[in-house]
Amino acid sequence: MSAAPVEQSPTKLCSACGTLTQTVKTFCHECGTAYGEPGGGRSASFVWGAFACAAVSLLFFPIVLGPLAIVLSVLAMKRKEPHAALALGFSVAGMVFGFILGALAFSS
């Protein structure tokens, strides 16, 4: 009596983060990149969104844009995007200085 062969899912290598997995999914479970797309398949970067929100939060709406910039930079860190830690620092600094500038503007 012979045992039936066990089917294994295909092995895929993520072009963005290098994770090797056996999966039938179309996205990498580590970074969310679609398999088979050239250049890693990333269409948007959370890092640039974090930098933009942090820069704007210096002058406008630091109570909203500051936390949004922090969330975007944390998502970028989870996706292992380059400069994500720098974006996190810039996000926190932008929010804090935005609060300080707002307090100075409204106190006078």
Coordinates of all heavy atoms in Angstrom, one line a residue:
M1 N 0.8 -1.2 0.0 CA 0.0 0.0 0.0 C 0.9 1.2 0.0 O 1.7 1.4 0.9 CB -0.8 0.0 1.3 CG -2.1 0.7 1.1 SD -3.0 0.2 2.6 CE -4.4 1.2 2.4
S2 N 0.7 2.1 -1.0 CA 1.6 3.3 -1.0 C 0.7 4.5 -0.6 O -0.5 4.6 -0.9 CB 2.1 3.5 -2.5 OG 1.0 3.8 -3.3
A3 N 1.4 5.5 0.0 CA 0.7 6.7 0.4 C 0.5 7.6 -0.7 O 1.4 7.7 -1.6 CB 1.6 7.3 1.5
A4 N -0.5 8.3 -0.7 CA -0.8 9.3 -1.8 C 0.2 10.5 -1.6 O 0.5 10.9 -0.5 CB -2.2 9.8 -1.7
P5 N 0.6 11.0 -2.8 CA 1.6 12.1 -2.7 C 0.9 13.3 -2.1 O -0.3 13.6 -2.4 CB 2.0 12.4 -4.1 CG 0.9 11.7 -5.0 CD 0.3 10.6 -4.1
V6 N 1.6 14.0 -1.3 CA 1.1 15.2 -0.6 C 1.4 16.4 -1.5 O 2.5 16.6 -2.0 CB 1.8 15.5 0.8 CG1 1.3 16.8 1.4 CG2 1.5 14.3 1.7
E7 N 0.3 17.2 -1.8 CA 0.5 18.4 -2.7 C 1.0 19.5 -1.9 O 0.6 19.8 -0.8 CB -0.9 18.8 -3.3 CG -1.3 17.9 -4.4 CD -2.5 18.5 -5.1 OE1 -2.6 19.8 -5.3 OE2 -3.4 17.8 -5.5
Q8 N 2.1 20.1 -2.4 CA 2.7 21.3 -1.8 C 2.3 22.5 -2.6 O 2.3 22.5 -3.8 CB 4.2 21.1 -1.6 CG 4.6 20.1 -0.6 CD 6.1 20.1 -0.5 OE1 6.8 20.6 -1.3 NE2 6.5 19.5 0.6
S9 N 2.1 23.6 -1.9 CA 1.8 24.8 -2.7 C 3.1 25.3 -3.3 O 4.2 25.0 -2.7 CB 1.2 25.9 -1.7 OG 2.0 26.1 -0.6
P10 N 3.1 26.1 -4.3 CA 4.3 26.6 -5.0 C 5.1 27.5 -4.1 O 4.5 28.2 -3.3 CB 3.8 27.3 -6.2 CG 2.4 27.6 -6.0 CD 1.9 26.6 -5.0
T11 N 6.4 27.5 -4.2 CA 7.3 28.4 -3.5 C 7.4 29.7 -4.3 O 7.7 29.6 -5.5 CB 8.6 27.7 -3.3 OG1 8.5 26.5 -2.6 CG2 9.5 28.6 -2.4
K12 N 7.3 30.8 -3.5 CA 7.4 32.1 -4.2 C 8.4 32.9 -3.4 O 8.5 32.9 -2.2 CB 6.0 32.8 -4.2 CG 5.0 32.1 -5.1 CD 3.7 32.9 -5.2 CE 2.7 32.1 -6.0 NZ 1.5 32.9 -6.1
L13 N 9.2 33.7 -4.2 CA 10.1 34.6 -3.6 C 9.7 36.1 -3.8 O 9.4 36.4 -5.0 CB 11.5 34.4 -4.2 CG 12.6 35.4 -3.8 CD1 13.0 35.1 -2.3 CD2 13.8 35.2 -4.6
C14 N 9.5 36.8 -2.8 CA 9.1 38.2 -2.9 C 10.3 39.0 -3.4 O 11.4 39.0 -2.8 CB 8.6 38.7 -1.5 SG 8.1 40.5 -1.5
S15 N 10.0 39.8 -4.5 CA 11.1 40.6 -5.0 C 11.3 41.8 -4.2 O 12.4 42.5 -4.4 CB 10.7 41.0 -6.5 OG 9.5 41.7 -6.5
A16 N 10.5 42.2 -3.3 CA 10.7 43.4 -2.5 C 11.4 43.2 -1.2 O 12.4 43.8 -0.9 CB 9.3 44.1 -2.2
C17 N 11.0 42.1 -0.5 CA 11.6 41.9 0.8 C 12.4 40.6 0.9 O 13.1 40.4 1.9 CB 10.6 41.9 1.9 SG 9.4 40.5 1.9
G18 N 12.3 39.8 -0.1 CA 13.2 38.6 -0.2 C 12.6 37.4 0.6 O 13.3 36.4 0.8
T19 N 11.4 37.5 1.1 CA 10.8 36.4 1.8 C 10.4 35.2 0.9 O 9.8 35.4 -0.1 CB 9.5 36.9 2.6 OG1 9.8 38.0 3.4 CG2 8.9 35.8 3.4
L20 N 10.8 34.0 1.3 CA 10.5 32.8 0.5 C 9.4 32.1 1.3 O 9.6 31.7 2.4 CB 11.8 31.9 0.4 CG 11.6 30.7 -0.4 CD1 11.4 31.0 -1.9 CD2 12.9 29.8 -0.3
T21 N 8.3 31.9 0.6 CA 7.1 31.3 1.2 C 6.5 30.2 0.3 O 6.7 30.3 -0.9 CB 6.0 32.3 1.6 OG1 5.6 32.9 0.4 CG2 6.5 33.3 2.6
Q22 N 5.8 29.3 0.9 CA 5.0 28.3 0.1 C 3.6 28.8 0.2 O 3.0 28.6 1.3 CB 5.2 26.9 0.6 CG 6.6 26.4 0.3 CD 6.7 24.9 0.7 OE1 5.9 24.4 1.4 NE2 7.7 24.3 0.2
T23 N 3.1 29.4 -0.8 CA 1.7 29.9 -0.7 C 1.1 30.0 -2.1 O 1.7 29.9 -3.1 CB 1.8 31.4 -0.1 OG1 0.4 31.8 0.0 CG2 2.6 32.3 -1.0
V24 N -0.3 30.0 -2.0 CA -1.0 30.2 -3.3 C -1.6 31.6 -3.3 O -2.3 32.0 -4.3 CB -2.2 29.2 -3.3 CG1 -1.7 27.8 -3.5 CG2 -3.1 29.3 -2.1
K25 N -1.3 32.4 -2.4 CA -1.7 33.8 -2.3 C -1.0 34.6 -3.4 O 0.1 34.2 -3.9 CB -1.5 34.4 -1.0 CG -2.4 33.8 0.1 CD -2.1 34.4 1.4 CE -3.0 33.8 2.5 NZ -2.7 34.4 3.8
T26 N -1.6 35.8 -3.7 CA -1.0 36.6 -4.7 C -0.1 37.7 -4.1 O 0.5 38.5 -4.9 CB -2.0 37.2 -5.7 OG1 -3.0 37.9 -4.9 CG2 -2.7 36.1 -6.4
F27 N -0.2 37.9 -2.8 CA 0.6 38.9 -2.1 C 1.5 38.3 -1.1 O 1.2 37.3 -0.4 CB -0.4 39.9 -1.4 CG -1.2 40.7 -2.4 CD1 -2.4 40.3 -2.8 CD2 -0.7 41.9 -3.0 CE1 -3.2 41.0 -3.7 CE2 -1.4 42.6 -3.9 CZ -2.7 42.2 -4.2
C28 N 2.6 39.0 -0.8 CA 3.6 38.5 0.2 C 3.0 38.8 1.6 O 2.4 39.9 1.8 CB 4.9 39.3 0.0 SG 6.1 39.0 1.3
H29 N 3.1 37.8 2.5 CA 2.5 38.0 3.8 C 3.3 38.9 4.7 O 2.9 39.3 5.7 CB 2.3 36.6 4.5 CG 3.5 35.9 4.8 ND1 4.3 35.2 3.9 CD2 4.2 35.8 6.0 CE1 5.4 34.7 4.6 NE2 5.3 35.1 5.8
E30 N 4.6 39.1 4.3 CA 5.5 40.0 5.1 C 5.3 41.5 4.8 O 5.2 42.3 5.7 CB 6.9 39.6 4.9 CG 7.3 38.3 5.6 CD 7.3 38.5 7.1 OE1 7.8 39.5 7.6 OE2 6.9 37.5 7.8
C31 N 5.3 41.8 3.5 CA 5.3 43.2 3.1 C 4.1 43.7 2.3 O 4.0 44.8 2.0 CB 6.6 43.6 2.4 SG 6.8 42.8 0.8
G32 N 3.3 42.7 1.8 CA 2.1 43.1 1.0 C 2.4 43.3 -0.4 O 1.5 43.7 -1.2
T33 N 3.6 43.0 -0.9 CA 3.9 43.2 -2.3 C 3.2 42.1 -3.2 O 3.3 41.0 -2.8 CB 5.4 43.2 -2.6 OG1 6.0 44.3 -1.8 CG2 5.8 43.4 -4.0
A34 N 2.7 42.5 -4.3 CA 2.1 41.5 -5.2 C 3.2 40.7 -5.9 O 4.3 41.2 -6.3 CB 1.3 42.2 -6.3
Y35 N 3.1 39.3 -5.9 CA 4.0 38.5 -6.6 C 4.0 38.6 -8.1 O 3.0 38.8 -8.7 CB 3.8 37.0 -6.2 CG 4.1 36.6 -4.8 CD1 3.1 36.1 -4.0 CD2 5.4 36.7 -4.3 CE1 3.4 35.8 -2.7 CE2 5.7 36.4 -3.0 CZ 4.7 35.9 -2.2 OH 5.0 35.5 -0.9
G36 N 5.2 38.6 -8.7 CA 5.3 38.6 -10.1 C 5.3 40.0 -10.8 O 5.3 40.1 -12.0
E37 N 5.2 41.0 -10.0 CA 5.2 42.4 -10.6 C 6.6 42.9 -10.6 O 7.3 42.7 -9.6 CB 4.3 43.3 -9.8 CG 2.8 43.0 -9.9 CD 2.0 44.1 -9.3 OE1 2.5 45.2 -9.0 OE2 0.8 43.8 -9.0
P38 N 7.1 43.4 -11.7 CA 8.5 43.9 -11.8 C 8.7 45.1 -10.8 O 7.8 45.9 -10.6 CB 8.6 44.3 -13.2 CG 7.2 44.6 -13.7 CD 6.3 43.6 -12.9
G39 N 9.9 45.2 -10.3 CA 10.2 46.3 -9.4 C 9.6 46.2 -8.0 O 9.5 47.2 -7.4
G40 N 9.2 45.0 -7.6 CA 8.6 44.9 -6.3 C 7.1 45.1 -6.3 O 6.5 44.7 -5.3
G41 N 6.5 45.7 -7.3 CA 5.1 45.8 -7.4 C 4.5 46.8 -6.5 O 3.3 46.9 -6.3
R42 N 5.3 47.7 -5.9 CA 4.8 48.7 -5.0 C 4.3 49.9 -5.8 O 5.1 50.5 -6.5 CB 5.8 49.1 -4.0 CG 6.1 48.1 -3.0 CD 7.0 48.5 -1.9 NE 7.3 47.4 -1.0 CZ 8.1 47.5 -0.1 NH1 8.8 48.5 0.1 NH2 8.3 46.4 0.7
S43 N 3.1 50.3 -5.7 CA 2.6 51.4 -6.4 C 2.6 52.7 -5.6 O 2.6 53.8 -6.1 CB 1.2 51.1 -7.0 OG 0.3 50.8 -5.9
A44 N 2.6 52.5 -4.3 CA 2.6 53.7 -3.4 C 3.5 53.4 -2.2 O 3.7 52.3 -1.8 CB 1.2 53.9 -2.9
S45 N 4.1 54.5 -1.7 CA 5.0 54.4 -0.6 C 4.4 55.1 0.6 O 4.0 56.3 0.5 CB 6.3 55.0 -1.0 OG 7.2 55.0 0.1
F46 N 4.4 54.4 1.7 CA 3.9 55.1 2.9 C 4.9 56.1 3.5 O 4.5 57.0 4.1 CB 3.6 54.0 4.0 CG 2.4 53.1 3.7 CD1 2.6 51.8 3.7 CD2 1.2 53.7 3.6 CE1 1.5 51.0 3.4 CE2 0.1 52.9 3.3 CZ 0.2 51.5 3.3
V47 N 6.2 55.9 3.1 CA 7.2 56.9 3.6 C 6.9 58.3 3.1 O 7.0 59.2 3.8 CB 8.6 56.4 3.2 CG1 9.6 57.4 3.5 CG2 9.0 55.1 4.0
W48 N 6.6 58.4 1.8 CA 6.4 59.7 1.2 C 5.1 60.3 1.7 O 5.1 61.5 1.9 CB 6.4 59.6 -0.3 CG 7.8 59.2 -0.8 CD1 8.2 58.1 -1.5 CD2 9.0 60.0 -0.7 NE1 9.5 58.1 -1.7 CE2 10.0 59.3 -1.3 CE3 9.3 61.3 -0.2 CZ2 11.3 59.7 -1.3 CZ3 10.6 61.7 -0.2 CH2 11.6 61.0 -0.8
G49 N 4.1 59.5 2.0 CA 2.9 60.1 2.6 C 3.2 60.6 4.0 O 2.7 61.6 4.4
A50 N 4.0 59.9 4.7 CA 4.4 60.3 6.1 C 5.2 61.6 6.1 O 4.9 62.5 6.8 CB 5.2 59.2 6.8
F51 N 6.2 61.7 5.1 CA 6.9 62.9 5.0 C 6.0 64.1 4.6 O 6.2 65.2 5.2 CB 8.0 62.8 4.0 CG 9.3 62.1 4.5 CD1 9.8 61.0 3.8 CD2 9.9 62.6 5.6 CE1 11.0 60.4 4.3 CE2 11.1 61.9 6.1 CZ 11.6 60.9 5.5
A52 N 5.1 63.9 3.7 CA 4.2 65.0 3.3 C 3.3 65.4 4.4 O 3.2 66.6 4.7 CB 3.4 64.5 2.1
C53 N 2.7 64.5 5.1 CA 1.8 64.8 6.2 C 2.6 65.5 7.4 O 2.1 66.5 8.0 CB 1.1 63.6 6.8 SG -0.2 63.0 5.7
A54 N 3.8 65.1 7.6 CA 4.6 65.7 8.7 C 5.0 67.1 8.3 O 4.9 68.0 9.1 CB 5.8 64.9 8.9
A55 N 5.3 67.4 7.0 CA 5.7 68.7 6.6 C 4.5 69.7 6.7 O 4.6 70.8 7.1 CB 6.3 68.6 5.2
V56 N 3.4 69.2 6.2 CA 2.2 70.1 6.3 C 1.7 70.3 7.7 O 1.2 71.4 8.0 CB 1.0 69.5 5.4 CG1 -0.2 70.3 5.5 CG2 1.5 69.4 3.9
S57 N 1.9 69.3 8.6 CA 1.5 69.5 10.0 C 2.3 70.5 10.7 O 1.8 70.9 11.8 CB 1.6 68.1 10.7 OG 2.9 67.8 11.0
L58 N 3.4 71.0 10.2 CA 4.1 72.1 10.8 C 3.3 73.3 10.9 O 3.4 74.1 11.8 CB 5.4 72.3 10.1 CG 6.6 71.4 10.4 CD1 7.7 71.6 9.4 CD2 7.0 71.5 11.8
L59 N 2.5 73.6 9.8 CA 1.7 74.8 9.7 C 0.2 74.6 9.8 O -0.5 75.5 10.2 CB 2.0 75.5 8.4 CG 3.5 75.9 8.2 CD1 3.7 76.5 6.9 CD2 3.9 76.9 9.3
F60 N -0.3 73.5 9.4 CA -1.8 73.3 9.4 C -2.2 71.9 10.1 O -1.6 70.9 9.7 CB -2.3 73.2 7.9 CG -1.9 74.4 7.1 CD1 -0.9 74.3 6.2 CD2 -2.6 75.6 7.3 CE1 -0.6 75.5 5.4 CE2 -2.2 76.7 6.6 CZ -1.2 76.6 5.6
F61 N -3.1 72.0 10.9 CA -3.7 70.8 11.5 C -2.8 69.8 12.1 O -2.8 68.6 11.8 CB -4.7 70.1 10.5 CG -5.7 71.0 9.9 CD1 -5.7 71.3 8.6 CD2 -6.6 71.6 10.7 CE1 -6.6 72.1 8.0 CE2 -7.6 72.5 10.1 CZ -7.6 72.7 8.8
P62 N -1.9 70.2 13.0 CA -1.0 69.2 13.6 C -1.7 68.1 14.4 O -1.1 67.0 14.6 CB 0.0 70.0 14.4 CG -0.8 71.2 14.8 CD -1.7 71.5 13.6
I63 N -2.9 68.4 14.9 CA -3.6 67.4 15.7 C -4.1 66.3 14.9 O -4.3 65.2 15.4 CB -4.7 68.1 16.5 CG1 -5.2 67.2 17.6 CG2 -5.9 68.5 15.6 CD1 -6.0 67.9 18.7
V64 N -4.3 66.5 13.6 CA -4.8 65.5 12.7 C -3.7 64.9 11.8 O -3.5 63.7 11.7 CB -5.9 66.0 11.7 CG1 -6.3 65.0 10.7 CG2 -7.1 66.5 12.6
L65 N -2.9 65.8 11.2 CA -1.9 65.3 10.3 C -0.6 64.7 11.0 O 0.0 63.9 10.4 CB -1.4 66.5 9.3 CG -2.5 67.0 8.4 CD1 -2.0 68.2 7.6 CD2 -2.9 65.9 7.5
G66 N -0.4 65.2 12.2 CA 0.8 64.6 12.9 C 0.6 63.1 13.2 O 1.4 62.3 12.9
P67 N -0.6 62.7 13.8 CA -0.8 61.3 14.1 C -0.9 60.5 12.8 O -0.5 59.3 12.7 CB -2.1 61.3 14.8 CG -2.2 62.6 15.5 CD -1.5 63.5 14.6
L68 N -1.5 61.1 11.7 CA -1.6 60.4 10.4 C -0.2 60.1 9.9 O 0.1 59.0 9.4 CB -2.4 61.2 9.4 CG -2.5 60.7 8.0 CD1 -3.2 59.3 8.1 CD2 -3.2 61.7 7.1
A69 N 0.7 61.1 10.0 CA 2.1 60.9 9.6 C 2.8 59.8 10.4 O 3.5 59.0 9.8 CB 2.9 62.2 9.7
I70 N 2.5 59.7 11.7 CA 3.1 58.7 12.5 C 2.5 57.3 12.1 O 3.3 56.3 12.0 CB 2.8 58.9 14.0 CG1 3.6 60.2 14.4 CG2 3.2 57.7 14.9 CD1 3.2 60.7 15.8
V71 N 1.2 57.2 11.8 CA 0.7 55.9 11.4 C 1.2 55.5 10.1 O 1.6 54.3 9.9 CB -0.9 56.0 11.3 CG1 -1.5 54.8 10.6 CG2 -1.5 56.2 12.7
L72 N 1.4 56.4 9.1 CA 1.9 56.1 7.8 C 3.4 55.6 8.0 O 3.8 54.7 7.3 CB 1.8 57.3 6.9 CG 0.5 57.6 6.4 CD1 0.5 58.9 5.6 CD2 -0.1 56.5 5.6
S73 N 4.2 56.2 8.8 CA 5.6 55.8 9.0 C 5.7 54.4 9.7 O 6.5 53.7 9.4 CB 6.4 56.9 9.7 OG 5.8 57.1 11.0
V74 N 4.7 54.1 10.6 CA 4.8 52.8 11.2 C 4.4 51.7 10.2 O 5.0 50.7 10.1 CB 3.8 52.8 12.4 CG1 3.6 51.4 12.9 CG2 4.4 53.6 13.6
L75 N 3.4 52.1 9.3 CA 3.1 51.1 8.2 C 4.3 50.9 7.3 O 4.5 49.8 6.8 CB 1.9 51.6 7.5 CG 0.5 51.6 8.2 CD1 -0.6 52.2 7.4 CD2 0.1 50.1 8.5
A76 N 5.0 52.0 7.0 CA 6.2 51.9 6.2 C 7.2 51.0 6.9 O 7.9 50.2 6.2 CB 6.8 53.2 5.9
M77 N 7.4 51.1 8.2 CA 8.3 50.3 8.9 C 7.9 48.8 8.8 O 8.8 47.9 8.7 CB 8.4 50.7 10.4 CG 9.1 52.0 10.5 SD 9.2 52.6 12.2 CE 10.7 51.8 12.7
K78 N 6.6 48.5 8.9 CA 6.1 47.1 8.8 C 6.4 46.6 7.4 O 6.7 45.4 7.2 CB 4.7 47.0 9.1 CG 4.4 47.2 10.6 CD 2.9 46.9 10.9 CE 2.7 47.0 12.4 NZ 1.3 46.6 12.7
R79 N 6.3 47.4 6.4 CA 6.6 47.0 5.0 C 8.1 47.0 4.7 O 8.5 46.7 3.6 CB 5.9 47.9 4.0 CG 4.4 47.7 4.0 CD 3.7 48.6 3.0 NE 4.2 48.4 1.6 CZ 3.6 48.9 0.6 NH1 2.6 49.8 0.7 NH2 4.1 48.7 -0.6
K80 N 8.9 47.4 5.7 CA 10.4 47.5 5.5 C 10.8 48.4 4.4 O 11.7 48.1 3.6 CB 10.9 46.1 5.4 CG 10.7 45.2 6.5 CD 11.2 43.8 6.3 CE 11.0 43.0 7.6 NZ 10.3 41.8 7.4
E81 N 10.1 49.5 4.3 CA 10.5 50.5 3.3 C 11.7 51.3 3.8 O 11.9 51.5 5.0 CB 9.3 51.5 3.1 CG 8.1 50.9 2.4 CD 7.1 51.9 2.1 OE1 7.3 53.1 2.1 OE2 5.9 51.4 1.9
P82 N 12.6 51.7 2.8 CA 13.7 52.5 3.2 C 13.3 53.8 3.8 O 12.3 54.4 3.3 CB 14.5 52.6 1.9 CG 13.6 52.3 0.8 CD 12.5 51.4 1.4
H83 N 14.1 54.3 4.7 CA 13.8 55.6 5.4 C 12.6 55.7 6.2 O 12.1 56.8 6.6 CB 13.8 56.8 4.3 CG 15.0 56.7 3.4 ND1 16.3 56.9 3.8 CD2 15.0 56.6 2.1 CE1 17.1 56.8 2.8 NE2 16.4 56.6 1.7
A84 N 12.1 54.6 6.6 CA 10.8 54.6 7.5 C 11.1 55.1 8.9 O 10.3 55.8 9.4 CB 10.3 53.2 7.5
A85 N 12.3 54.8 9.4 CA 12.6 55.3 10.8 C 12.8 56.8 10.7 O 12.4 57.5 11.7 CB 13.9 54.6 11.3
L86 N 13.4 57.3 9.7 CA 13.6 58.7 9.5 C 12.2 59.4 9.4 O 12.0 60.5 10.0 CB 14.4 59.0 8.3 CG 14.7 60.5 8.0 CD1 15.6 61.1 9.1 CD2 15.5 60.6 6.6
A87 N 11.3 58.8 8.7 CA 10.0 59.4 8.5 C 9.3 59.4 9.9 O 8.5 60.4 10.1 CB 9.2 58.5 7.5
L88 N 9.5 58.4 10.7 CA 8.8 58.4 12.0 C 9.4 59.5 12.9 O 8.6 60.3 13.5 CB 9.1 57.0 12.7 CG 8.5 56.9 14.1 CD1 7.0 57.0 14.1 CD2 8.9 55.6 14.7
G89 N 10.7 59.7 12.9 CA 11.2 60.9 13.6 C 10.8 62.2 13.1 O 10.4 63.1 13.9
F90 N 10.7 62.3 11.8 CA 10.2 63.6 11.2 C 8.8 63.8 11.5 O 8.3 64.9 11.7 CB 10.5 63.6 9.7 CG 10.3 64.9 9.0 CD1 11.2 65.9 9.3 CD2 9.3 65.1 8.1 CE1 11.0 67.1 8.7 CE2 9.1 66.3 7.5 CZ 10.0 67.3 7.7
S91 N 8.0 62.7 11.6 CA 6.6 62.8 11.9 C 6.3 63.3 13.3 O 5.5 64.2 13.5 CB 5.9 61.5 11.7 OG 6.0 61.1 10.3
V92 N 7.0 62.8 14.2 CA 6.9 63.2 15.6 C 7.4 64.6 15.8 O 6.7 65.4 16.4 CB 7.7 62.2 16.6 CG1 7.7 62.8 18.0 CG2 7.1 60.8 16.5
A93 N 8.5 65.0 15.2 CA 9.0 66.3 15.3 C 8.1 67.3 14.6 O 7.8 68.4 15.2 CB 10.4 66.4 14.6
G94 N 7.5 67.0 13.5 CA 6.6 67.9 12.8 C 5.3 68.1 13.6 O 4.8 69.2 13.7
M95 N 4.8 67.1 14.3 CA 3.6 67.2 15.1 C 3.9 68.1 16.3 O 3.2 69.0 16.6 CB 3.1 65.9 15.6 CG 1.8 66.0 16.4 SD 1.2 64.3 16.8 CE 2.4 63.8 18.0
V96 N 5.0 67.9 17.0 CA 5.4 68.6 18.2 C 5.6 70.1 17.8 O 5.1 71.0 18.5 CB 6.6 68.0 18.9 CG1 7.2 68.9 20.0 CG2 6.3 66.7 19.5
F97 N 6.4 70.3 16.8 CA 6.7 71.7 16.4 C 5.4 72.4 15.9 O 5.3 73.6 16.0 CB 7.8 71.8 15.4 CG 9.2 71.6 16.0 CD1 10.0 70.6 15.6 CD2 9.6 72.3 17.1 CE1 11.2 70.3 16.1 CE2 10.9 72.1 17.7 CZ 11.7 71.1 17.2
G98 N 4.6 71.7 15.3 CA 3.3 72.2 14.8 C 2.4 72.7 16.0 O 1.8 73.7 15.9
F99 N 2.4 71.9 17.1 CA 1.7 72.3 18.3 C 2.3 73.5 18.9 O 1.6 74.5 19.3 CB 1.7 71.2 19.3 CG 0.7 70.1 19.0 CD1 1.0 68.8 19.1 CD2 -0.6 70.4 18.7 CE1 0.1 67.8 18.9 CE2 -1.5 69.4 18.4 CZ -1.2 68.1 18.5
I100 N 3.6 73.6 18.9 CA 4.3 74.7 19.5 C 4.1 76.0 18.7 O 3.8 77.1 19.2 CB 5.8 74.5 19.6 CG1 6.1 73.4 20.7 CG2 6.6 75.7 19.9 CD1 7.5 72.9 20.7
L101 N 4.2 75.9 17.3 CA 3.9 77.1 16.5 C 2.4 77.5 16.6 O 2.2 78.7 16.6 CB 4.2 76.7 15.0 CG 5.7 76.6 14.7 CD1 5.9 76.2 13.2 CD2 6.4 78.0 14.9
G102 N 1.5 76.6 16.7 CA 0.1 76.9 16.9 C -0.1 77.6 18.2 O -0.9 78.6 18.3
A103 N 0.5 77.1 19.3 CA 0.4 77.8 20.6 C 0.9 79.2 20.6 O 0.3 80.1 21.2 CB 1.0 76.9 21.7
L104 N 2.1 79.3 19.9 CA 2.7 80.7 19.8 C 1.8 81.6 19.0 O 1.7 82.8 19.3 CB 4.1 80.6 19.3 CG 5.2 80.0 20.1 CD1 6.5 79.8 19.4 CD2 5.4 80.8 21.4
A105 N 1.2 81.1 18.0 CA 0.4 82.0 17.1 C -0.9 82.4 17.8 O -1.3 83.6 17.6 CB 0.1 81.2 15.8
F106 N -1.5 81.5 18.6 CA -2.7 81.9 19.3 C -2.5 82.6 20.6 O -3.5 83.2 21.1 CB -3.6 80.6 19.5 CG -4.2 80.2 18.2 CD1 -3.8 79.0 17.6 CD2 -5.2 80.9 17.6 CE1 -4.4 78.6 16.4 CE2 -5.8 80.5 16.4 CZ -5.4 79.3 15.8
S107 N -1.3 82.6 21.1 CA -1.1 83.3 22.4 C -0.9 84.8 22.2 O -1.0 85.5 23.2 CB 0.1 82.7 23.1 OG 1.3 82.9 22.4
S108 N -0.5 85.2 21.0 CA -0.2 86.6 20.9 C -1.4 87.3 20.2 O -2.4 87.0 19.9 CB 1.0 86.9 20.0 OG 1.2 86.0 19.0

